[in-house]
Every structure is written in C-alpha cells, then in structure tokens.
Amino acid sequence: QASKARGIGRNPCFSSSNQPIERSSPQGRPAAPGRMPAEGEAAKGHEPSRWGCGLAAVLLGVAGSLGLLLLARNFAHDGGAAAPALTAQLIELKPKSDNRQYHFSRLSNGIQVVNVHDPKALSDAYSMAIEAGSLDDLENFPGLAHFCEHMLFLGTEGYPASAAYDEFVKLKGGYLNAYTADETTVYYSELSKGSLSEAFDRFGDFFRAPLFDKSLVEKEVEAIDSEHAKNVQSPPWRLWALFNSLANPESPVSRFHTGNKETLYTKPGKEGANPVDALKTWFNSHYCPSRMRFVSFSSLPLQEQLKLSEKYFGNITAKDPSCESEPRRSWAEPAPWPKQRLGKWLSVLGTTPSANVVLYFPLPDLTAEYKSQPIGYIHYSLTYGGEGSLTTVLRDDLGLVTDISVSFSTGSPGGMLMVYFGLTEAGRSKPDGVLDVFFQYVGTLRNAQVSMELYNSLANVHKLSWDWSQRSGPSDTASAIAERLTRMPAEKVLSGDDLIETPDPVKVASLLKLLVPENMNAALVDSQTSFDAPAKVRMVPYYGINYTMEELSGQFPVALARWQRWVTPEGSRSSADQLREVLHSPKLQAPKPPQAIQNVPKQVATTYMSAETRPAPGQRDAEIVGPYPSLLVAPHQASLVEARQLRGQADGLNRNDSLWYRQGWVSTSPKVKVKAVFRPPRTIDYLEAPVADRMRLDLYATLFKKGLGPKLFDDTVAGASYDLSLSTDGVVLSFEGFEPLLPNLIDRVTREVRAGLDVTQVDLDLALDDLRDSLQSYSEMPITYAVSDRNVLLTTGAHSKEEGLAALSSINTSSVASSVSDLLLGSPLQFDALIMGNLDDGQAKRAASSLRRGVSAGDDASQVTGRVLPVSPVVRPGRPVELRKMNPRAGDKNSAVVVTLVHGLTTVEDRVVFGLLGQMLGQLAYNELRTKQQLGYVVHAGDVAISNVQGISTVVQGMTTDADFMEVAVERLYFEDMPAYLRDLKDDDFQQFRNGFRQELLQPPLGYNEEFDHFW
C-alpha cells in the first residue's frame, strides 16, 4: 500500500469533492481510500509537507489518449428466458500498460456496473458507490451519512450477526473499508478468489436489508466519536473545517460532516429523536438503484461476473419512491460563497510549531471539465519549481517560505483551490510579503495569457505517464471506478481524471480571473498567535479552533489596493518594479511563468522492456516476479579472471563492488529503475554514530536537493526522477524513468555530488528552522509516535525527536558542508547496485560506472578491516520492556499502546507461520478490541518484521479508556483469546486462511516498483 497505481485511482488533486471520511482506518479526510496500513506504517492520510498535493501527485498518474470501442453483447439474465437481456460495452480507452478488460452495463433495476477481468488476479474485489454523502445529512443529525456507512457493516437480515461480514472477509484473507465524501459514499472489499458468489450475496444485503440494530448504535457512535477525536488536531482536517465554517450557514457546506457522539446520540436523545429511525429514513431516501454504481474485479470471465452482479444486485429496489423519481440534488443553491462571505483574513491559533499562510479560492463546479483539466494548467503554473519560479523567488531569493503546495476539489456546491505556504521565521512576520509576490505572479500569468505550448506539453506528459502507469490493486481499482461512475460517463472512467484531451485556454483564463483578493479567504495559522482582544476570538464548533477574523481591507488596506491593481492587465505591466520597491529588494527578479516542458519522450522504445518468465533451476518464484537479476560485476569472491570478464565496460568499479542487472519487467513498462548503495565496512565493536552526525547528513541532503531541484525540475517533469538518501550507514542514490532521460540525469546528479556543497548561513538557518519545526511537531496520530518509540528501542541508528533537537545546537555551516566527506567519503565504501528494466547490459554497466565515479573514485573497501552489514542490527531485549510516555500531542485525549512480541531471526518458514498467525490475530483483535470492547477507532494486529527479526504486534488508539487498560486487553488477546481461538479453529477455516495466504504470496506484481523492491 506504499504506492497507489495512478492509471486507475483517485488523484487527490482532482477529487470530486472534499476528501473522504474513512471507516476502519486511521486515515482522515485528506486520505484517498485504501486498506488499513500495516502496524509499522505511518498513518496513511495524505499529509505531505504543509499538506496539499505536490507536483508529483498531479503528473505521476495523469496522461494519455487512445480510442473508445463499444462492443454490445447480450448476456442471458440469470432469471430465465423471460428476463431482459443485459447489454455490455467494452471500454477500450485504457493505458497501454493495462491488459485488463472492462465492461460497462446496466442491471435490470438500473444499477450501473463495470466488471473488470484480470486473468492473472488471485484476489477478487468489489465496490459500491452511492450518490449520497455528508452534504445530504439531515440538519438535526450532522454526520448521519457517515453513521449510515458504519452501520451497514453491522448486520443484515440475511446475515444478522454484527461481525458476520468482517469475519467472512478476513477468513478469506481479505479486508474491507468505506469512506463518506461530500456527495458520495463508497464501500469496497477484497478477498482471495473463489468466493465471489457468497461475497456478493453478503455485500448485496447491505443495500437490500440492513438491520440498523439499535443495540449496536451507542457502541458504533463511540467509534465515530473516537474517529472524530483523532481528526481534531490534524492540520488538514482543521483547515478544512475552518474554511467550511465561513460558508453561507444556509448551505450544508458550512456544517459539521463527520459527526460525533453529541450530534448522533446525546443531542438527538434529549430532543426525542431516534437515531435508528433517522438512519432508516435517510437510507431509504438516498440508497436506491438509480444512485448506485457497482464494480467487480476478478479473474472470472466478464460474462460470469455480469451474471453474478445481476443475480445479487439486480433485485435491489427503492424503499422510498422519491429516491428514484427525484433527480440527484445539486448543492449549488443556496450559494455557499456569496460575496459577503469572502475577502476575510483569519488569524488562527495553530497546533504545530510551523506557521502557514493558506489561501482559499471558491471556483465554479468543474466536474464536467475532465476533458480539458483546466485546473491542471493552473496547478502546474503555481507549483512549478524551476529556476525563476514562484517557489524559488519566495523560498531562495526572499527566504519567506519553505515550500508551496496546492490542492483542489470540486462538486455541485462548486470547486475550491487552496494554496499553502509554509513560512520561515521571516515569512511569519511578513505574511503580506508572501501575498505581494503571489498576486504579482498571478497578474503576470493573466497578462501573459494561456500558453498553448505549455498546455500541450502538459497534455503530452500526462499521456506518457498515463500510458505507462503502474496498475492499482483490485480493491483500489474497483473503488476508484465506482466513485468515477458517479461523475463521468462510463467510457471515461479509466481516463477522465488523467488525460488532457481537449485543452481549453478560455476556461483556464476564466479561472485565473477568479484568483483575486475579493474572491478569497486567507488564514495565517501559527502556534504563536496571540489574541489582543479576547472578546473577538471565535471558535469553530466541534474542532475547538480559535481564531479572529477581519476584513482584508481592514488588515491590509494599502497592500490590498496594490494586489487588486496587480492582477489587472494594466496593473501587471508595472507590477515587477513596484514589487521590488515594496519588498525593498532592488535586485529581485519577479517570478516568471513556466515555459513548455522540453524533452518529453515522443516515441518510447520497448526493445528490452519484457523479462523472461521461464523459471531457472531453483528460482521457484520466477513465474511470479521474473528471473533473478544476474551478477554483471562480481565481488572479490569471484576469481580475478571472472571478475575482469564480468566488468567489461563497467570502468571505475572496485574489487569489492557488485552490480546486479535484469532486462525487462514481468509487468508492462518501458521504464528503468536504478538503485545504488555505498556502505562503509564496520568492525564488530562498532555501535552507532552520534545523533549529531545523523543531523549533519540530514541537513546536507536537504540542502543538496533544494539547490539541485530547480536546475533539474524540467528534466524530472519530463519523465524521470532521482533521490539521494544520506545516513551514517551510507549513501543511497536511486533513479527511475524513461531510459533516454536517465544518463543525463545520473551525470548531472553525480557531478553535483562530486563537487560538494557550499553551505551559506542563510540557507542553513532556513533548513535548521524547518528541521526544528518538524522535530517539535506532533501532527500525526499518537499511535504513530508509539510505534516510532518502539523502533527507537529496538533498532540501531534510530533516535528520538528530543535527541535530534538537542543535537542541532552543535551544527554549523562547516560541519554540514564537510559531513559527507568526513563521515562517508573519507573512508572506503562498498558499492552495490541493482539495475532493472528497459535497457541492455551495456547501458546498465555505463550507468553503474557513472554512479561509482560520482560518489567515490579509487577507494576499495576490501583494503580495510570489518565488513558491510547486510541488515540493520536489532536489539535482543532478553526480558519484557515497557516504555511509558505522555501523549506528545497537547490537548489530545487519545491514549495509545503498541504491544510487540519479539520472536527472533526470521526464516522462510517463520514468515509463513507468522503471516498466517497475523491474519488470524488481525481478525480476532478487530472483533474483540474494536467491535466488542470499543477500545478505540484504531485497532490493528498482525505479524511485523523489524529488519530481519520476526514478531507479532498489536496497536490500539482511542479515548474510551486509558493505555493501561488497553495493554491488559492486548495481553489477554495474546495469552487467552488467541490460544483459545487456535484450539477451536476448524480445519476448514484453517484451510481457507492457508489458501488466502498462498494466493497473496502468488499474486503477480502490479508494477515495476513491486518487482524491483522484491529483489532489492
């Protein structure tokens, strides 16, 4: 789940509405839908730096054009000759890398269906999207749509047990989830193949006959209350709630959408309202066939999937006739953003050390503009990071911001564009200076008019990226298509969020005209905010966000007048000179709009992109992930003759180096991936480097990438990328993309590495401020920090945030500038590289030579004592260890525990046994700790690997009880419930777990990254 394929999947920058409310996952509204993360993963909500979507989020998953072929086929209805025939249309508009088949049809009751056939799939998946969401809440029941989503999982007439569906899915080695967005609710599940008929029967009963059992209402409300509590201190959630609270109170946009115990249980009870009655009425009014979109994913033939869909979903009927007869409501009226609701300046008390300025621009509904993607042009123009860009002027020339990001959403109430500026200390005291540069740049964009060269080059990049995107997994595919069916034609569900088919410069220009101060609300979010007039302090209900609000004209009367002038064609002509005068920076070059993207590959060679799939002796998994890479350059264990023969063109490699290479991929991709690690040998008495050394290297890597980023921005946008990671354990360089772009990229990066880094005090101070803020920030869920602390206890080279902060006091420009040469390049390094993909062995050797020469030349790790450690050492506790800490998030009422049983060094057999145990424990933990005991919204258990050490781990986070009680419950799970479960486990059930785990192991890779990571 670390990466989602972009060919099919929600693009967070182009979502159809505000981001979703999730079930059974520690994800928040900023999250795209997905399965619950593993115990060791961070919370998976989209919380990139300063929130917002980076450029990669826009470009990685977008692009392309092909054609659409609709093939009408008639399939017999399962009910017999009297039933109507079902017509299926084959959707041909899909990426070149996608070998799946997609059929669209309508069931006899009107439900729109897409069936997906993947002949190699070993998992089945399905999803139902409903055209109803949080905006449809009853006014006296905020959060009712979200509550309904939760309750549908807790029993139906056909399967009344509250945990029946959860247990069924997990017994089949699967998982389930759902999310509620503004105008859509999406349910999805995935399980090992072979049970689709039974799964459809159970899932279909959600929408035919949910129980809404009143005995479960209070417990599930507690879960929603816990879910809301985890969001209250999340910066993205708080921003979303803050800006929505300013909307017209007559519009549902302004209301509380998640719900909590007060809105769903306590207050209705006092008013004599029955939550169950409200749920039933709301469900009947909004869940009907005309508002349902169903998707199945399987290796079963399309005809069979369609028959099963008709059998189990074609008999769903509308409980309330008005649901079918009345059109889906638009929330364009009452207008959420009348003129009097805009032009505001908010001073907000933040919850993290860093400060931000956030601009909120209401836009028209752009749902129908998927062919032209006008917001994609604006997004690129605002986030462009090349030399002379808005980012480099604000960050590098003026030192006012640390970064810029942009997010966008749209729906029937309208769209919105949010621009986020992470502020430096200088920017903190001069937010109007940030807006000066922003509005001067917007005026330049408008005056320059829309560049069709840039627009077309973006379309080419989108096309290239989309054509060769990595596939998404079964449930991600199903849920994404189901959601897209609610807002675009079936023939566009694979491409509508991704391709720029018909550029529309007129629409872009019309949107740029809306990026003006009078169509904006702006907020300064800062933990250092103080309120001089307490009587003026306001609070966002349910989130406790304190802020004051002024008219922009009152806060910045002089600045506002120039912003309004600069965004006009007349005012923009002299705005650059005026900007220099206002900022007292006579040499400042005003930011320039980006030019057309150059060097986008037009004809991508595919000569070497396919790997052999014939297994070699002893390579039992070659049929799944392809043959093992070959050793092109051998370490010193090979004879000198063999080593010379293997080296060939790989000049510059030393006797102890190794280069592994494989041609092509099992999946379909013309890309290349290169990864090299340079590691120092260690003697047995080496423990770990001081934390200050780690801080020096972190700062070096940050400043290196900051300096190189603008120079390489155009190259990386065109279809290639790089990364540099530095630690006391070595240097890691990685590159990926289309082969024609990589040699130049590798050469330029390694040349900069070889040249070293000139660290100025100004640059270091900015980097130190940003690092200090991140070390003092606790914006993630508490369980994230519990897991991190567990890892600090068990692994070498890991340090706490407090240790890192303390070490910063000893950092200076010379210690950072010399860190790489002192700590890494000053001693011999062993070079190991893996190169895979669409290139031949000669190209692989040349790439390796360039990398080796760039990082260190002439050294030989075989000449020193010690050896390179193949894995990171893990502490053997030897006895029970308990770490007790306060929740680091001030004001957060959640408690959290992580309880890990450390087993020992792993073997293949252990990994299988623990994998099976983890599946069983995960199901049991969820049922016992989440469903029955309601200990918290976040409950996850399973097997865990820390380096090469195997273990079992359980995490719980919630507000209903304290951490001591949670720990007792987990220990009872381990030492009483789990042994009893295993004793009573029936052989048939065990075989189902075993079969599901086997199918998971045999699942072919979705894309080249999975193949590469398997061997790395």
Side-chain angles (χ1 to χ4, degrees):
Q1 293 297 308
S3 62
K4 288 185 180 294
R6 299 289 182 170
I8 303 171
R10 291 170 56 84
N11 185 329
C13 294
F14 298 104
S15 58
S16 62
S17 62
N18 284 327
Q19 294 89 348
I21 302 166
E22 293 256 7
R23 175 188 185 270
S24 67
S25 167
Q27 303 175 57
R29 184 170 293 263
R35 68 178 293 179
M36 187 163 181
E39 175 268 343
E41 295 181 57
K44 226 186 61 174
H46 280 293
E47 291 192 35
S49 178
R50 314 297 179 188
W51 324 309
C53 299
L55 174 70
V58 179
L59 295 181
L60 278 177
V62 289
S65 67
L66 280 173
L68 171 68
L69 177 64
L70 298 181
L71 298 181
R73 300 180 180 179
N74 292 328
F75 300 133
H77 186 278
D78 193 69
L86 301 176
T87 301
Q89 298 172 328
L90 182 64
I91 302 172
E92 281 287 326
L93 184 54
K94 61 181 184 178
K96 292 179 179 179
S97 59
D98 192 350
N99 63 353
R100 297 164 175 167
Q101 285 188 304
Y102 305 84
H103 270 188
F104 169 74
S105 57
R106 292 179 187 269
L107 303 183
S108 57
N109 58 357
I111 294 179
Q112 295 183 38
V113 173
V114 170
N115 302 117
V116 184
H117 176 243
D118 185 337
K120 295 184 177 181
L122 296 176
S123 295
D124 293 331
Y126 43 90
S127 177
M128 180 74 84
I130 311 295
E131 288 184 333
S134 297
L135 294 180
D136 298 288
D137 285 344
L138 299 179
E139 194 167 352
N140 63 331
F141 267 98
L144 190 61
H146 183 209
F147 189 23
C148 180
E149 171 224 303
H150 275 242
M151 291 298 293
L152 257 61
F153 286 89
L154 301 180
T156 66
E157 289 183 7
Y159 302 92
S162 62
Y165 186 72
D166 281 10
E167 291 174 352
F168 165 76
V169 170
K170 289 167 185 174
L171 185 63
K172 304 296 183 182
Y175 59 89
L176 52 94
N177 214 329
Y179 66 88
T180 300
D182 283 355
E183 300 183 273
T184 313
T185 305
V186 181
Y187 304 80
Y188 52 100
S189 300
E190 183 173 329
L191 66 172
S192 56
K193 73 175 185 179
S195 304
L196 207 56
S197 180
E198 185 178 0
F200 278 14
D201 187 31
R202 292 171 178 269
F203 189 60
D205 224 30
F206 279 29
F207 312 103
R208 276 191 303 270
L211 285 181
F212 297 118
D213 188 340
K214 64 181 180 181
S215 68
L216 301 173
V217 164
E218 186 173 8
K219 277 192 173 183
E220 203 57 32
V221 166
E222 293 283 2
I224 291 174
D225 201 53
S226 179
E227 180 181 355
H228 171 61
K230 79 174 178 58
N231 300 329
V232 165
Q233 291 196 355
S234 165
W237 275 88
R238 293 172 68 86
L239 272 178
W240 167 80
L242 172 68
F243 283 115
N244 278 359
S245 71
L246 304 181
N248 180 358
E250 298 300 315
S251 168
V253 170
S254 66
R255 298 174 193 159
F256 176 42
H257 294 167
T258 313
N260 64 3
K261 189 172 184 178
E262 177 187 345
T263 66
L264 295 171
Y265 192 80
T266 306
K267 187 178 179 181
K270 291 179 180 178
E271 296 174 350
N274 187 322
V276 172
D277 291 342
L279 281 168
K280 291 179 177 178
T281 300
W282 192 89
F283 174 87
N284 292 342
S285 299
H286 295 88
Y287 279 53
C288 58
S290 65
R291 299 189 186 181
M292 295 180 178
R293 308 291 185 267
F294 180 68
V295 177
S296 70
F297 180 107
S298 178
S299 60
L300 290 176
L302 289 166
Q303 297 92 328
E304 189 170 345
Q305 289 188 54
L306 181 56
K307 288 180 181 179
L308 289 173
S309 301
E310 173 64 24
K311 179 178 180 180
Y312 293 107
F313 298 91
N315 57 3
I316 296 173
T317 58
K319 306 292 191 298
D320 183 341
S322 66
C323 182
E324 291 282 298
S325 59
E326 297 178 2
R328 174 76 173 96
R329 177 166 182 177
S330 166
W331 294 105
E333 297 293 338
W337 298 108
K339 184 178 180 180
Q340 63 270 26
R341 290 275 160 184
L342 298 167
K344 314 299 182 187
W345 176 262
L346 312 177
S347 296
V348 187
L349 182 61
T351 58
T352 63
S354 57
N356 302 269
V357 162
V358 187
L359 313 181
Y360 183 105
F361 296 95
L363 299 176
D365 181 9
L366 298 176
T367 302
E369 305 299 330
Y370 55 85
K371 290 184 179 180
S372 60
Q373 300 284 358
I375 206 68
Y377 181 98
I378 294 174
H379 185 284
Y380 182 79
S381 298
L382 294 178
T383 58
Y384 174 68
E387 294 176 303
S389 64
L390 175 65
T391 295
T392 57
V393 169
L394 279 169
R395 184 190 66 194
D396 303 338
D397 299 344
L398 295 170
L400 295 177
V401 310
T402 57
D403 59 357
I404 301 174
S405 55
V406 174
S407 65
F408 169 76
S409 69
T410 192
S412 71
M416 72 86 185
L417 184 77
M418 293 178 74
V419 186
Y420 311 78
F421 301 93
L423 300 181
T424 63
E425 282 301 312
R428 210 173 207 143
S429 61
K430 199 171 184 179
D432 53 331
V434 175
L435 271 67
D436 279 327
V437 180
F438 175 78
F439 283 116
Q440 190 280 331
Y441 178 64
V442 169
T444 302
L445 284 177
R446 290 179 58 179
N447 193 46
Q449 309 209 345
V450 177
S451 166
M452 285 307 297
E453 291 80 9
L454 173 60
Y455 211 160
N456 288 328
S457 69
L458 281 170
N460 293 336
V461 169
H462 287 208
K463 180 185 188 308
L464 182 69
S465 181
W466 180 77
D467 266 341
W468 300 111
S469 55
Q470 300 184 74
R471 300 182 306 168
S472 55
S475 62
D476 287 340
T477 300
S479 60
I481 294 176
E483 187 276 330
R484 290 181 181 185
L485 276 173
T486 67
R487 55 187 173 87
M488 63 181 62
E491 61 267 24
K492 299 295 183 182
V493 294
L494 306 182
S495 61
D497 282 345
D498 303 319
L499 299 184
I500 300 177
E501 296 183 88
T502 54
D504 188 346
V506 175
K507 177 60 70 174
V508 173
S510 71
L511 295 175
L512 284 171
K513 290 180 180 179
L514 296 175
L515 303 187
V516 293
E518 53 268 34
N519 187 52
M520 174 190 79
N521 287 326
L524 171 62
V525 184
D526 191 348
S527 60
Q528 298 179 15
T529 296
S530 60
F531 302 114
D532 297 330
K536 291 186 176 181
V537 177
R538 308 178 183 215
M539 188 176 71
V540 178
Y542 306 107
Y543 285 87
I545 304 168
N546 292 320
Y547 70 99
T548 58
M549 183 168 69
E550 302 286 344
E551 298 291 329
L552 276 171
S553 57
Q555 184 73 21
F556 304 112
V558 177
L560 178 61
R562 63 175 174 261
W563 299 339
Q564 292 172 328
R565 184 172 66 252
W566 287 350
V567 296
T568 65
E570 298 78 16
S572 69
R573 296 189 185 100
S574 58
S575 61
D577 291 333
Q578 294 172 15
L579 180 67
R580 284 187 280 271
E581 182 179 345
V582 167
L583 296 178
H584 307 291
S585 183
K587 295 183 179 181
L588 178 70
Q589 294 296 314
K592 299 176 181 178
Q595 300 299 306
I597 302 169
Q598 303 298 318
N599 302 320
V600 181
K602 295 179 179 176
Q603 297 295 328
V604 177
T606 58
T607 309
Y608 303 106
M609 79 173 188
S610 298
E612 296 276 346
T613 56
R614 292 173 295 181
Q619 298 184 3
R620 290 183 293 176
D621 53 351
E623 291 185 2
I624 305 169
V625 292
Y628 292 6
S630 303
L631 193 60
L632 286 188
V633 174
H636 68 276
Q637 284 84 353
S639 71
L640 290 178
V641 173
E642 290 173 325
R644 291 192 188 101
Q645 290 174 340
L646 287 166
R647 275 173 175 75
Q649 296 169 298
D651 299 327
L653 269 66
N654 296 321
R655 183 167 173 259
N656 220 43
D657 296 340
S658 64
L659 167 60
W660 296 85
Y661 158 78
R662 193 190 77 182
Q663 172 192 308
W665 310 103
V666 172
S667 51
T668 306
S669 176
K671 292 187 177 182
V672 172
K673 187 159 185 175
V674 178
K675 195 167 187 177
V677 58
F678 303 79
R679 293 176 289 181
R682 301 297 192 193
T683 57
I684 196 169
D685 58 346
Y686 178 82
L687 294 177
E688 61 183 17
V691 63
D693 290 350
R694 173 188 162 194
M695 296 293 103
R696 292 167 63 192
L697 292 169
D698 281 352
L699 288 163
Y700 188 102
T702 297
L703 293 172
F704 179 89
K705 287 186 275 192
K706 175 186 173 183
L708 191 57
K711 301 174 185 177
L712 297 181
F713 192 89
D714 291 340
D715 291 341
T716 54
V717 168
S721 63
Y722 84 97
D723 191 37
L724 168 71
S725 174
L726 299 174
S727 74
T728 52
D729 292 326
V731 181
V732 180
L733 270 170
S734 57
F735 301 82
E736 65 179 279
F738 299 102
E739 194 281 328
L741 301 174
L742 289 186
N744 179 58
L745 184 61
I746 292 173
D747 180 65
R748 295 187 67 179
V749 172
T750 54
R751 195 188 318 148
E752 295 287 339
V753 172
R754 194 161 53 244
L757 187 64
D758 181 23
V759 180
T760 67
Q761 190 63 52
V762 172
D763 286 341
L764 179 60
D765 287 343
L766 292 173
L768 280 169
D769 288 343
D770 205 35
L771 180 55
R772 193 174 288 114
D773 282 350
S774 70
L775 291 171
Q776 293 174 324
S777 176
Y778 293 93
S779 60
E780 302 285 346
M781 294 189 301
I783 193 61
T784 305
Y785 304 110
V787 172
S788 176
D789 286 335
R790 188 274 315 275
N791 292 343
V792 169
L793 291 176
L794 290 178
T795 56
T796 61
H799 301 90
S800 68
K801 287 191 170 192
E802 294 79 5
E803 290 174 301
L805 276 170
L808 294 184
S809 61
S810 64
I811 302 293
N812 55 48
T813 55
S814 61
S815 67
V816 174
S818 63
S819 60
V820 171
S821 58
D822 289 351
L823 303 175
L824 296 172
L825 302 187
S827 59
L829 298 175
Q830 178 178 305
F831 171 83
D832 298 286
L834 173 62
I835 301 179
M836 294 174 61
N838 184 30
L839 77 173
D840 62 26
D841 59 353
Q843 293 169 308
K845 291 174 182 176
R846 288 191 290 275
S849 297
S850 181
L851 282 168
R852 186 49 158 140
R853 287 194 300 268
V855 175
S856 56
D859 56 12
D860 192 344
S862 65
Q863 301 302 310
V864 298
T865 58
R867 64 188 181 93
V868 169
L869 298 177
V871 295
S872 299
V874 175
V875 174
R876 187 197 303 271
R879 59 183 173 82
V881 176
E882 181 174 306
L883 173 65
R884 301 173 65 83
K885 290 182 66 174
M886 296 299 293
N887 182 341
R889 289 172 37 146
D892 190 333
K893 298 179 181 179
N894 280 284
S895 294
V897 295
V898 51
V899 184
T900 303
L901 303 179
V902 180
H903 170 63
L905 297 180
T906 186
T907 66
V908 174
E909 290 77 10
D910 282 342
R911 289 168 65 186
V912 172
V913 171
F914 275 77
L916 285 167
L917 284 172
Q919 286 192 347
M920 299 173 192
L921 181 68
Q923 173 187 318
L924 186 63
Y926 190 86
N927 291 344
E928 290 293 328
L929 307 182
R930 164 69 165 78
T931 304
K932 293 181 182 179
Q933 299 184 45
Q934 289 290 331
L935 295 186
Y937 178 69
V938 178
V939 173
H940 187 76
D943 61 308
V944 61
I946 304 171
S947 185
N948 64 334
V949 172
Q950 196 76 41
I952 287 287
S953 198
T954 298
V955 300
V956 182
Q957 176 185 301
M959 296 192 309
T960 60
T961 187
D962 61 29
D964 286 320
F965 188 91
M966 292 176 180
E967 182 196 353
V968 171
V970 174
E971 292 185 2
R972 184 184 300 115
L973 176 77
Y974 285 163
F975 305 123
E976 295 180 17
D977 298 339
M978 189 63 181
Y981 177 89
L982 292 172
R983 283 194 301 270
D984 298 339
L985 184 64
K986 297 177 182 178
D987 187 62
D988 287 347
D989 289 345
F990 173 74
Q991 293 302 330
Q992 290 194 61
F993 275 117
R994 184 170 176 264
N995 181 57
F997 188 69
R998 177 193 287 115
Q999 290 190 17
E1000 183 179 330
L1001 293 175
L1002 295 175
Q1003 185 69 45
L1006 292 169
Y1008 66 88
N1009 275 324
E1010 287 189 10
E1011 294 181 54
F1012 189 94
D1013 292 345
H1014 174 84
F1015 292 111
W1016 181 257

